[in-house]
Amino acid sequence: AFRRDESGISRERLEHIQCVLRNPRKVPSHLDAAKWMDIFRSQPWLVQQDVDEQKRKELYDQKLAKLKQMAAIVENKREDLARDAARLERLEKKMADHEQLRDSEDADVTEEQRADARNYVATNSGVLDDKRADFHRRKESLEKLEKQLADYQALLEEEDREATERLESARLAKAEFEEREGAE
């Protein structure tokens, strides 16, 4: 609303128009010490710290579950690799026996046995090479997974150490505050 505003007002009278707020601003009151002390003693920042710490703990628990899952995967791969190593060793021994039979000069070995041994060596030497290559590839993959697991475990240990330090610091600050406020 404008006071002294009329339609058709002359130019000389325009400077006398005044503006008035319909809802005047409230003048802020001074600090109420009693209210401030109630808020200060209730320590809302500590409540926020507890909420933040709970969120961190939930994230840490999720990471710990992921670590356990990774450890289980690595352990399964180790077991599989150990079984494959035993199979590969048996296959290599069988191949060596057939090669020895193929190259044998004994009179006890018939020509038919030598021919069977040659066929076995010829057909299975490629298979053995493939299995060796696959075994070494899987072994390298397992080593990479073990390294990732160790790195992730180190990361979680570091987070755990930081959380312990942070909680101890907060506990000491809270105890100091309560001691100081209790003395007043």
Side-chain angles (χ1 to χ4, degrees):
F2 296 98
R3 290 187 192 153
R4 300 186 194 132
D5 183 22
E6 305 166 1
S7 78
I9 193 168
S10 67
R11 191 179 295 169
E12 293 80 28
R13 291 190 53 208
L14 283 177
E15 63 187 43
H16 299 288
I17 296 175
Q18 295 177 346
C19 175
V20 179
L21 295 176
R22 290 185 183 183
N23 299 324
R25 288 186 291 165
K26 294 181 181 177
V27 177
S29 63
H30 294 288
L31 178 68
D32 184 1
K35 286 183 181 177
W36 183 83
M37 284 307 284
D38 285 344
I39 292 172
F40 183 70
R41 286 198 169 110
S42 70
Q43 304 175 33
W45 56 89
L46 291 180
V47 173
Q48 184 61 41
Q49 284 178 355
D50 289 343
V51 168
D52 293 343
E53 198 58 44
Q54 184 63 32
K55 288 178 184 177
R56 284 188 199 105
K57 184 173 179 351
E58 288 173 4
L59 286 173
Y60 180 80
D61 289 344
Q62 289 174 356
K63 290 177 181 179
L64 196 59
K66 183 179 177 182
L67 177 70
K68 288 179 182 179
Q69 181 183 16
M70 287 173 69
I73 289 170
V74 167
E75 188 58 36
N76 286 340
K77 287 194 178 262
R78 278 187 194 137
E79 292 171 2
D80 289 346
L81 201 62
R83 279 195 301 272
D84 288 348
R87 285 186 198 130
L88 187 61
E89 187 177 319
R90 285 193 305 269
L91 188 59
E92 286 175 341
K93 185 180 180 319
K94 193 172 181 181
M95 183 67 77
D97 291 345
H98 278 86
E99 287 174 348
Q100 186 180 10
L101 187 63
R102 177 193 67 185
D103 298 337
S104 175
E105 303 266 335
D106 278 344
D108 296 342
V109 180
T110 64
E111 190 58 40
E112 184 179 329
Q113 288 174 329
R114 284 191 190 112
D116 287 343
R118 274 194 299 272
N119 284 340
Y120 183 85
V121 169
T123 55
N124 289 317
S125 64
V127 171
L128 181 62
D129 291 340
D130 290 344
K131 288 193 181 282
R132 282 182 188 142
D134 184 52
F135 177 78
H136 290 295
R137 180 187 53 78
R138 291 176 62 199
K139 188 175 181 180
E140 289 172 1
S141 172
L142 176 63
E143 290 169 356
K144 287 179 185 176
L145 278 176
E146 287 173 336
K147 184 181 180 326
Q148 288 175 350
L149 179 65
D151 292 345
Y152 199 71
Q153 193 167 13
L155 175 75
L156 283 182
E157 287 171 358
E158 178 66 22
E159 284 184 16
D160 190 35
R161 186 188 58 75
E162 288 174 1
T164 303
E165 290 174 2
R166 187 176 54 248
L167 290 173
E168 182 63 21
S169 172
R171 187 189 65 76
L172 291 174
K174 187 174 181 180
E176 179 184 324
F177 174 80
E178 288 173 355
E179 182 180 313
R180 187 178 64 236
E181 288 301 309
E184 291 178 3

